[in-house]
Amino acid sequence: MSKKAVAALLCLIIVAGAVFLFAGCEEEEQKSIVFLGDSIAEAVLGPSPLSAREDYGYYAIVGRRNGYLYYNRAVSGHKTSHMLEYISREDDSAYMTVSRIKEADIIHVSILGNDMLQTNVGELLLEMVKEEQGLIDGAPVREKILASSRENFAAIVAKLKEYNPDAVLMFQTVYNPVYPESTLVNASTREALALLGYTADDYRILGGRLIEKLNGVIRDYLAENPDSFHIIDAYEAFGAISDADEERGRRLIYPDWIHPSNEGHAVMADLIQDKLEELLLTDKKTALDHYRQMRMSQIKREFPDADFLKAKGEFNSATSCSQITEAYFAITAGLTPTY
């Protein structure tokens, strides 16, 4: 073989190797995110209709617009005790939950809400008021719940870090779903609260105080174990939106007065997005472009009566995903979708 032929062959080998290496790097750069926890993360209740879950569930919004491999392994109804048992099992199905956790670059968790919300929330509010007025003896039911939650939460964090110490770990706080008309406060509790001097206008404040005691499980753990995880503060964000625009605040909650609505899921996706961008785990411009395309495609597909030119203009001028979210739900408000 001539020297020229040998040189040409070597060049081909080098080029082929470079292409292979580049392709491998491209594959390695695709990050994976696993969503764990309860029905809020599972997004079976809330996103409407269920057939549009991949358009409205926050797990899918985050995964799609960032180009991640995304896996939803949350389970409706799970309390902290259930989640701890669930992630402690060996892989026993095609879901491969533990394997996904071990391989993930990012792990996002929504848990704690059911520890309290699966009890009688109205009774817990009433108990809190009576405790403050010195009308009950002994340990409140709430404190028994919180003691169990703290123990389980610490064990969940430890288990996730045992599986994957290098993953970026995020825990989402529980938002306040209580409004004056909330069905979480039943008629008998309303009467009992009235006798103690509280009206329906006080329910949201009382609900906030109760939910923040639950969120204290997350906040206190992080204070005692700095840098263990990042907080996605849904409580703070939902509250700020409601304070600025109570009508929009209500729209974030599904009609069952517990789960996030389509818009609520979008707001939570944007909170997660902000943290991902802060931690340099995604490209902001690319994610923003993808989100523009996603929402514009949805409007064209589901809302034929929408003002497309207005939507396109507002989406193109948006500098954050949260601005696109707000524009999308404002433009489609009151319109009947076609799924």
Side-chain angles (χ1 to χ4, degrees):
M1 184 179 291
S2 69
K3 291 183 179 179
K4 287 186 178 180
V6 171
L9 180 60
L10 287 174
C11 286
L12 285 172
I13 292 171
I14 292 169
V15 169
V19 170
F20 177 79
L21 180 62
F22 179 74
C25 291
E26 285 291 297
E27 186 176 344
E28 289 176 2
E29 288 176 0
Q30 188 175 19
K31 292 181 173 60
S32 67
I33 183 168
V34 174
F35 295 86
L36 299 168
D38 52 27
S39 58
I40 291 175
E42 189 179 24
V44 170
L45 291 173
S48 181
L50 187 56
S51 60
R53 180 176 173 233
E54 286 282 308
D55 289 322
Y56 288 114
Y58 70 72
Y59 74 93
I61 296 173
V62 170
R64 290 171 60 195
R65 72 185 174 198
N66 290 291
Y68 293 157
L69 294 170
Y70 61 97
Y71 305 96
N72 191 329
R73 296 297 182 265
V75 182
S76 292
H78 267 193
K79 299 180 180 181
T80 51
S81 58
H82 300 134
M83 179 181 168
L84 178 59
E85 189 275 333
Y86 177 63
I87 64 173
S88 298
R89 300 179 203 161
E90 294 294 326
D91 285 338
D92 58 0
S93 71
Y95 263 44
M96 299 176 61
T97 299
V98 172
S99 294
R100 295 305 184 199
I101 292 171
K102 289 179 178 180
E103 297 165 358
D105 296 295
I106 306 156
I107 301 169
H108 176 275
V109 185
S110 168
I111 200 67
L112 277 179
N114 287 326
D115 285 29
M116 193 167 280
L117 294 175
Q118 283 188 11
T119 61
N120 188 320
V121 173
E123 287 300 312
L124 291 177
L125 294 179
L126 181 60
E127 178 192 66
M128 184 176 68
V129 168
K130 287 182 176 180
E131 180 190 12
E132 292 169 352
Q133 295 186 4
L135 299 176
I136 63 170
D137 297 320
V141 172
R142 179 194 70 244
E143 290 304 323
K144 296 176 183 177
I145 293 172
L146 292 177
S148 175
S149 297
R150 290 187 190 99
E151 182 178 347
N152 292 329
F153 183 84
I156 287 169
V157 175
K159 179 59 71 174
L160 293 175
K161 287 190 170 295
E162 173 192 329
Y163 286 149
N164 192 339
D166 298 322
V168 174
L169 183 57
M170 302 178 179
F171 280 91
Q172 180 176 299
T173 58
V174 181
Y175 54 81
N176 179 12
V178 181
Y179 283 90
E181 64 273 34
S182 174
T183 55
L184 292 172
V185 187
N186 61 30
S188 62
T189 303
R190 288 171 184 269
E191 292 175 6
L193 286 170
L195 291 174
L196 295 172
Y198 290 88
T199 68
D201 290 337
D202 299 311
Y203 295 169
R204 181 156 181 79
I205 294 174
L206 292 176
R209 282 160 50 193
L210 180 67
I211 296 297
E212 267 294 70
K213 291 180 186 296
L214 187 60
N215 286 330
V217 172
I218 299 175
R219 302 189 199 282
D220 292 348
Y221 184 96
L222 190 59
E224 294 169 7
N225 302 273
D227 303 321
S228 296
F229 51 78
H230 300 277
I231 291 179
I232 305 299
D233 206 341
Y235 177 89
E236 179 65 28
F238 276 45
I241 288 172
S242 188
D243 290 344
D245 183 349
E246 190 168 304
E247 181 181 347
R248 188 184 180 212
R250 280 180 166 82
R251 292 204 311 265
L252 302 183
I253 311 297
Y254 191 65
D256 67 356
W257 291 109
I258 295 177
H259 295 92
S261 64
N262 289 346
E263 188 168 0
H265 269 274
V267 167
M268 287 196 287
D270 295 339
L271 292 177
I272 298 169
Q273 187 71 34
D274 289 344
K275 181 58 67 174
L276 294 171
E277 292 173 7
E278 176 190 327
L279 297 175
L280 304 179
L281 293 169
T282 188
D283 181 78
K284 178 177 180 178
K285 183 181 182 303
T286 301
L288 191 60
D289 288 343
H290 287 170
Y291 196 41
R292 286 191 184 104
Q293 295 166 16
M294 286 166 58
R295 288 308 193 193
M296 198 67 217
S297 176
Q298 276 182 266
I299 286 183
K300 289 179 178 178
R301 184 174 66 249
E302 300 171 7
F303 297 96
D305 296 329
D307 187 335
F308 297 135
L309 289 178
K310 180 179 181 182
K312 185 176 181 180
E314 293 198 21
F315 291 174
N316 285 340
S317 64
T319 58
S320 68
C321 288
S322 59
Q323 289 177 3
I324 293 177
T325 290
E326 192 164 357
Y328 175 85
F329 287 98
I331 290 167
T332 60
L335 300 180
T336 302
T338 56
Y339 295 111

